[in-house]
Amino acid sequence: MAFIEAEKLSKVYVRHNAPKTGGISRLWKRETQRIPALTDASFSIERGELVGLIGPNGAGKSTTVKLLTGILTPTGGSCTVDGRSPWADRQAHVKHLGAVFGQRTQLWWDVPIRDSFLLLRDIYSLEQGRWQKRLDEMVEALELGEFLNAPLRQLSLGQRMRAELCGSLLHEPELLFLDEPTIGLDAVSKLKLRAFLKEENRQRGTTILLTTHDMEDMLALCSRVMVLGHGRLLYDGALDALLQRYDTVHTLRVVFEEAPDLSGVSAPIARDGDAYILTYEPAKLPTSELLPQVLAAGRVREMTLKEQNVDELIARMYKEMAL
């Protein structure tokens, strides 16, 4: 059996709305609306996998995570994590979980983060020696030493996210949920966080489920992705295969030192101030062929290659699937 097994997992939310008409009676009469958030999702994840979960807002990502953590009970279907039912065995289940949510905190806002780590030690009933060894490893790996005695509210966003990650991993969970872990971080902080997660996954075999809108996070961390849309699992497989099929248009933004000679450039060209914008399809014009043409046109000051973001990629999937 795989580490995570989901079979036809479904969740329907029930919303009670006041009727649009009916005079004074509308104050106590309510209309019931059933909203399917997840429909017949079946998938399996092996222990130690690092899987990306992507899709636009309202696709069912948060519902899936809440079902896997045991926060929600499904309307239909079944799911086990290491043989446990997340919602039926929730007390035993949460001892093996860690979570970092970009917009929420599990640490205490006004106390030094060292004290938060001490509280987490007691919450998880960790043996002192084991806890101290793990804390020392995490402090070194995440570079937390300089602000261990500072309250969370005084930390920068990057420092706060590293502290949150430490708190989530102190009890050495088998399964880690990451929801937009790099949101708002600068480039250096993103690189450090990604490097740490890859090493944690490699060394300890921690199973990681990542939800994000940042394609760079996906490319850096995940070889496998699951794509959700309208509550349905649209794709489950290799990220490379997904990109090859749907990421069909790239944009190259180039600024030259002086007026270029673009007569030898094969791609369509537009202007944006000092920049030249080249839009092309790699399947028809490989980047390896376009770049020499651009470099031959003149001295390049700046060059930026932009691939489609997750929202654009999902939109192409929706169009193909007529969703």
Side-chain angles (χ1 to χ4, degrees):
M1 179 181 290
F3 183 62
I4 299 175
E5 285 277 4
E7 183 68 28
K8 294 187 177 299
L9 200 58
S10 301
K11 180 63 180 180
V12 177
Y13 294 110
V14 178
R15 179 186 296 169
H16 299 288
N17 303 318
K20 297 178 181 179
T21 59
I24 191 67
S25 64
R26 69 189 299 273
L27 296 177
W28 60 82
K29 289 184 177 180
R30 295 189 300 174
E31 295 178 349
T32 299
Q33 180 182 9
R34 294 175 61 83
I35 304 170
L38 191 66
T39 305
D40 293 339
S42 298
F43 56 87
S44 62
I45 297 175
E46 298 296 333
R47 188 183 298 274
E49 277 198 273
L50 205 165
V51 181
L53 185 62
I54 61 177
N57 292 331
K61 302 188 301 296
S62 295
T63 297
T64 301
V65 169
K66 289 176 181 177
L67 288 168
L68 292 177
T69 57
I71 294 174
L72 292 178
T73 300
T75 307
S78 62
C79 176
T80 60
V81 179
D82 198 20
R84 300 180 301 270
S85 168
W87 48 89
D89 306 321
R90 187 154 188 253
Q91 188 170 0
H93 183 55
V94 296
K95 294 180 181 179
H96 303 277
L97 303 183
V100 176
F101 299 109
Q103 303 293 339
R104 299 178 182 86
T105 179
Q106 65 174 330
L107 305 180
W108 284 260
W109 189 246
D110 291 311
V111 303
I113 60 171
R114 185 191 296 275
D115 292 350
S116 288
F117 296 155
L118 284 167
L119 287 168
L120 289 171
R121 178 198 64 186
D122 295 338
I123 288 172
Y124 287 103
S125 302
L126 300 177
E127 189 270 325
Q128 173 64 27
R130 171 190 169 191
W131 171 84
Q132 188 64 59
K133 180 181 178 182
R134 180 63 165 160
L135 179 61
D136 291 343
E137 293 173 351
M138 300 287 288
V139 167
E140 180 179 356
L142 292 168
E143 302 178 5
L144 303 177
E146 294 183 4
F147 48 88
L148 267 179
N149 295 313
L152 190 68
R153 58 181 170 79
Q154 293 182 359
L155 304 186
S156 69
L157 181 57
Q159 292 170 336
R160 196 183 313 154
M161 290 305 299
R162 280 146 54 197
E164 291 284 351
L165 192 55
C166 178
S168 295
L169 292 171
L170 275 175
H171 60 296
E172 302 176 83
E174 299 171 345
L175 177 60
L176 176 64
F177 293 97
L178 300 173
D179 182 20
E180 301 285 0
T182 64
I183 189 170
L185 299 188
D186 59 57
V188 174
S189 297
K190 283 186 178 183
L191 290 173
K192 288 182 178 180
L193 198 61
R194 290 170 186 156
F196 171 80
L197 291 172
K198 289 172 72 173
E199 190 64 14
E200 183 74 12
N201 173 254
R202 186 186 68 83
Q203 281 196 352
R204 294 184 173 272
T206 306
T207 306
I208 300 177
L209 188 62
L210 168 69
T211 62
T212 183
H213 287 91
D214 191 331
M215 182 57 79
E216 291 184 2
D217 283 347
M218 286 290 162
L219 290 170
L221 296 171
C222 304
S223 58
R224 173 188 172 188
V225 293
M226 298 192 301
V227 181
L228 286 168
H230 299 307
R232 294 186 178 275
L233 186 59
L234 304 179
Y235 177 87
D236 182 2
L239 177 58
D240 288 346
L242 180 70
L243 294 177
Q244 186 175 2
R245 180 172 180 180
Y246 293 103
D247 188 15
T248 57
V249 179
H250 290 181
T251 302
L252 190 66
R253 183 182 186 275
V254 188
V255 178
F256 293 92
E257 293 287 356
E258 62 274 322
D261 176 10
L262 298 170
S263 59
V265 175
S266 304
I269 303 169
R271 289 293 299 271
D272 180 15
D274 293 337
Y276 292 82
I277 310 299
L278 289 69
T279 302
Y280 67 101
E281 299 180 38
K284 297 178 181 178
L285 177 60
T287 305
S288 59
E289 293 184 14
L290 178 61
L291 288 180
Q293 297 176 8
V294 173
L295 294 174
R299 289 192 301 156
V300 174
R301 183 193 308 165
E302 298 176 13
M303 183 185 296
T304 305
L305 177 62
K306 179 186 176 184
E307 300 174 339
Q308 291 178 330
N309 62 30
V310 171
D311 290 335
E312 291 169 330
L313 187 147
I314 300 301
R316 292 183 63 84
M317 293 186 67
Y318 280 8
K319 185 176 180 180
E320 180 177 302
M321 297 176 181
L323 292 175

